[in-house]
Amino acid sequence: MRWEPAPVVNGKVHMRAVRYVAINVFRESVRDRVPYNLVLFAVLLIASSYLLGQLTAGQDVKIIKDLGLAATSIFGLFIAVFIGIGLVSKEVERRSIYALLSKPVSRAQFIAGKYAGLVLTLAVNVAVMTLALYAVLGYMSWTESAQFKAGWETPAVDPALMKALLLIFVELMLVTAIAVFFSTFSSPILSAAMTFGLYVAGHFNADLRNFDKVVESRTAATLARAVYHVLPDFAAFDVKTQVVHGLHVPATYLATTIGYGVAYIAALLLAATFIFSRRDFK
């Protein structure tokens, strides 16, 4: 089956096709129980953090915030990976890829629509976990005495938490883009393994920047520095510690980090579109 790109009359037609694919992806995700089970488990973990906080003296708010943000990040990671790796494989297995590609939808629109639908699903799940975290913190702020609250470094219902949650969401968008990229040319299991591998490597890639201080080989140091610039810097999105302890996170840092994430996502989606456009489905 040779692919002939569908003609695009104007921007409205292009966006209509992307919206059509995105809505179908979102509807399919709604019927899938895996994200719901993960979100439910995350919400239960966030709720149970209140009980853990009661076991510590004066550290209860910090524990709830730490566990809540960590649960949102970890379970969001699993959701992003598991909904992103089946981009092509599910369509091929069900043979629905042929029906989709027979419609006036280009492969670029198909990738963009799939990614938009996945991000919409991710946004809903992260929103649920965010509401659960603020509900627990709100309950604690409402039930504790003013004297007890005086010992808190930051208020329980702290708007600054949204800074950490925003960067977590952008980080998960980047993870989803990586999963989508790998799914265009590999199996779901391999896509998941490579996505998780990049995620872990991206959190420790700062060590590659100073690799020349560890090894004497100039070639190895140069190669490590090149890998450092190519790998996604996931550590930059982690401001949970600063937010929990009331440290200021500048708006310029948020803007720069979000811009970096958006640029990396755009590059991944362009690469995914290029690879997907060269695949021949028979």
Side-chain angles (χ1 to χ4, degrees):
M1 176 179 169
R2 190 69 183 174
W3 172 252
E4 295 294 337
V8 178
V9 179
N10 52 44
K12 289 185 178 180
V13 175
H14 175 80
M15 291 307 300
R16 191 181 301 122
V18 172
R19 187 167 60 249
Y20 166 80
V21 177
I23 291 173
N24 279 280
V25 170
F26 181 72
R27 287 175 177 171
E28 182 181 346
S29 299
V30 168
R31 293 191 294 266
D32 194 350
R33 296 181 179 179
V34 174
Y36 290 136
N37 292 336
L38 290 172
V39 169
L40 177 61
F41 194 80
V43 169
L44 291 175
L45 180 60
I46 292 171
S48 65
S49 66
Y50 175 78
L51 300 177
L52 293 175
Q54 298 302 305
L55 301 177
T56 60
Q59 301 296 318
D60 42 2
V61 171
K62 289 182 181 179
I63 288 178
I64 293 173
K65 290 179 179 179
D66 273 328
L67 285 177
L69 292 174
T72 303
S73 179
I74 293 171
F75 288 99
L77 170 65
F78 284 110
I79 293 171
V81 172
F82 289 128
I83 65 176
I85 59 176
L87 171 68
V88 179
S89 60
K90 284 185 178 180
E91 304 291 354
V92 173
E93 288 174 6
R94 294 179 303 195
R95 298 187 177 277
S96 56
I97 186 73
Y98 308 109
L100 277 170
L101 296 183
S102 65
K103 298 179 183 295
V105 177
S106 70
R107 297 202 179 191
Q109 292 167 338
F110 178 79
I111 294 292
K114 279 282 190 179
Y115 180 73
L118 297 176
V119 168
L120 179 58
T121 304
L122 191 62
V124 172
N125 291 323
V126 171
V128 171
M129 291 186 280
T130 299
L131 289 174
L133 175 57
Y134 270 105
V136 172
L137 291 171
Y139 176 78
M140 172 159 247
S141 179
W142 181 57
T143 55
E144 296 295 348
S145 64
Q147 183 179 2
F148 192 80
K149 294 178 187 177
W152 295 346
E153 290 184 4
T154 58
V157 185
D158 189 1
L161 280 175
M162 291 303 300
K163 295 180 179 180
L165 290 164
L166 176 60
L167 290 186
I168 286 173
F169 180 64
V170 177
E171 178 185 40
L172 296 178
M173 287 176 60
L174 178 53
V175 172
T176 304
I178 292 172
V180 167
F181 169 73
F182 285 133
S183 72
T184 58
F185 61 87
S186 61
S187 66
I189 295 178
L190 188 57
S191 296
M194 290 189 292
T195 302
F196 278 121
L198 266 184
Y199 179 80
V200 173
H203 272 281
F204 296 98
N205 68 341
D207 296 333
L208 296 173
R209 182 176 52 188
N210 303 318
F211 203 63
D212 55 336
K213 299 178 181 179
V214 181
V215 297
E216 297 181 358
S217 173
R218 188 162 187 171
T219 302
T222 303
L223 181 61
R225 180 61 66 93
V227 173
Y228 164 76
H229 287 294
V230 173
L231 284 177
D233 186 9
F234 282 113
F237 297 94
D238 187 4
V239 294
K240 294 189 287 292
T241 301
Q242 294 92 314
V243 169
V244 169
H245 291 275
L247 301 177
H248 179 60
V249 179
T252 52
Y253 180 82
L254 288 175
T256 303
T257 306
I258 292 172
Y260 166 78
V262 170
Y264 210 112
I265 289 168
L268 285 168
L269 293 181
L270 285 174
T273 301
F274 175 76
I275 295 172
F276 189 62
S277 64
R278 299 178 67 87
R279 290 195 60 178
D280 191 14
F281 297 97
K282 297 181 179 179

